[in-house]
Amino acid sequence: MSSTVAVVLAGGLARRMGGGDKPLRLLGGRPLLDHVLARIRPQVAGLALSANGDPARFAAYGLPVVADPLPDHPGPLAGVLAGLDWAASTRPGAVDVLSVPGDCPFLPGDLLVRLEAARRAAGVPMACAASGGWTHPPVALWPIALRDQLRAALLAGEKKIDRWTARFGCASAEWPAVSVDPFFNANAPEDLAEAERLLSSASSGPIGPASAINPGDSP
């Protein structure tokens, strides 16, 4: 999948977490972002972070930090567009962008291959993840070729991911959520506490802690 790069959506306002950067909250003694990157990095050819404000707070990761291309925090679709614009301008061999939230520490190691298989089987341009009967629109595979259509939709006021993807067709790939939902996200302090419990109880299981990464590993 060398033609695919990823964008980690790290630009939310984190109101339920009390503000600040959710991806920098600690889980198992390391930032949530460390866990996300460790799970996604082996699956893609490159990585960027979508975040607004001063990019210096992510400097230790040595990754490009791309801000929303539109004002007023229009939501995760703007972060996806930022990732598509980054890929189009700096990764000439890239065809698709995989988007993942920066607060999902248990992402599956087969995320990219299964999303690609799902959209290919359905004959549609996009695919998103699903688990436990729920779809997860921010966890998705996006063709860079659709970035102009996405920009136009955002400028027209569109904010809902699934409503926009429905225009073109979006398959879903389902993962089991037995011991832990691989798309569990830490939205609030109680979620972070639950993630600590899950990480501890599964330390010897298949979702065990993501392998350690060094901030500044090459993107």
Side-chain angles (χ1 to χ4, degrees), residues 124-147:
V124 294
M126 289 171 281
C128 74
S131 62
W134 296 88
T135 58
H136 307 289
V139 185
L141 190 58
W142 309 78
I144 297 170
L146 290 179
R147 70 189 180 104

Side-chain angles (χ1 to χ4, degrees), residues 34 45 51 60-61 69 71 87 90 104 127 136 140 143-144 168 171-172 175 178 183 191 216:
D34 284 27
Y61 291 93
T90 67
C104 288
H136 307 289
I144 297 170
F168 303 90
S172 64
W175 275 261
V178 181
F183 305 106
D191 298 328

